[in-house]
Amino acid sequence: MPHLNRTHDPSRRSWVESANTGTTDFPIQNLPFGVFSTGGGSLRVGTAIGDYILDLAAIETAGLVRPAGEATVFAADRLNPFMALPQSVWLATRARLSELLDRDNATLRDDTDLRHRALIPMADATLHLPFFVRSYTDFYASKEHATNVGSMFRDPDNALLPNWLHLPIGYNGRASTVVVSGTEIPRPHGQLKSPANDRPRFAPCEKLDIELELGAVVGTPSPMGTRVSTADAYDMIFGYVLLNDWSARDIQVWEYQPLGPFQSKAFATTISPWVVTREALEPYRVNTPERLQPLLPYLEESDPNNFDLDLEVELTAGSGAPVTITRTNYRHMYYSAAQQLAHHTSSGCAMCTGDLLGSGTISGPTKDSFGSLLELTWNGRDPLTVPGGQRVFLEDSDSVSIKGWCDGGRHRIGFGDCAGRIVS
Ligand code: CA
């Protein structure tokens, strides 16, 4: 039961012609929020429209949008002040931007001076980390991924641990090394120990991997001691980003017992620069897959809280040509972000504006839809042949790029690029 309005209307077109191509990630139905700068100038908030960024600080100063009344929220180096405003303000701002960019609306279209100041070619801008990441939590919500990992490292006949069908498994990660797309990823060092050796050695990671994920960004906080329902949790989420949870498999396998991953995940997490709002994804809501065990009441949801969101990972091995190594869809996730967030608050844990929740690796049911190299190569058994050579895990100078979009037929709601290159 998606709630649709004029901002979702597929027939709406913009006077920014590059938004109307059908192939851009940023049609007028999207309007994601990000932080940018030009020519070494100050950071500010913008929205992507076709090949351009609309400078929201400029139009806020001009009085065309005023989300916070007298105060300003867009002349800021992060989205947090805007995300902390009530959900009704997020929706009203989106509706206002959709109107201002509508082909038939003359307010900004015919104001030559303001339009020249406020509409910036994306190619001339630098995109920054869009929000201050208050805390980062990572989950493990794909049944296919958990089954693959359990089959490889434990028992194919009992791949899922007994708790998995009853709660979204997660751990508290590091917010300090969440970086924006394009940031180089230094290969981590750590303790490595092969079964053949009695003692570990300290060395550069030899099994550097990706994890294809979607990140949910919390807008509305919840106080300590408050339990949130799945329906309220859905509404607390401001938007979503693509997320690559880089993983050092050899460090992980030695360190993870009994408390879970630590340094193997702490060295880098890349997110896409545009936060696609939950409201933009509303037409693409789908149900989570069928429950294999009944959930406890606090995790039940009556609404479709997953999204029909296509995902791809492209690998560029050294100086070779880019090649798509996996294609999948977020709809396969067993637990929705709303269920993860409701579970996160179930102990009374406080959630804050700017908290980031990783979905967990998104793997589909078939071998060409797995979300990590660990699964795609079955822990090295089946190397990938790609332009530039064979790969089991990532080598220095390799680049990985995640892309994602919801297919609206005549337009698509895209996320931009979530990319990183490995350096030594
Ligand atoms: Ca992960």
Side-chain angles (χ1 to χ4, degrees), residues 39 45 80-81 98 179 191 212 218 234 275 394:
V45 174
N80 301 59
S98 181
V179 295
Q191 286 202 12
L212 164 60
V218 174
Y234 184 83
V275 182
L394 297 172

Side-chain angles (χ1 to χ4, degrees), residues 252-280:
Q252 184 176 1
V253 78
W254 171 236
E255 74 172 4
Y256 86 103
Q257 289 174 318
L259 287 184
F262 186 49
Q263 293 305 297
S264 55
K265 306 278 189 171
F267 60 96
T269 305
T270 300
I271 62 171
S272 52
W274 295 105
V275 182
V276 174
T277 62
R278 169 170 54 74
E279 180 69 356

Side-chain angles (χ1 to χ4, degrees), residues 139-156:
F139 286 91
Y140 190 59
S142 155
K143 183 164 72 64
E144 289 76 10
H145 174 67
T147 303
N148 288 337
V149 173
S151 300
M152 264 181 260
F153 293 109
R154 283 191 306 273
D155 174 7

Side-chain angles (χ1 to χ4, degrees), residues 31-72:
L31 305 176
F33 292 90
V35 169
F36 75 101
S37 63
T38 47
S42 60
L43 276 60
R44 61 246 199 230
V45 174
T47 189
I49 179 79
D51 297 336
Y52 289 82
I53 297 172
L54 180 62
D55 182 338
L56 298 183
I59 66 164
E60 186 182 45
T61 304
L64 297 192
V65 283
R66 300 297 305 193
E70 290 302 301
T72 58

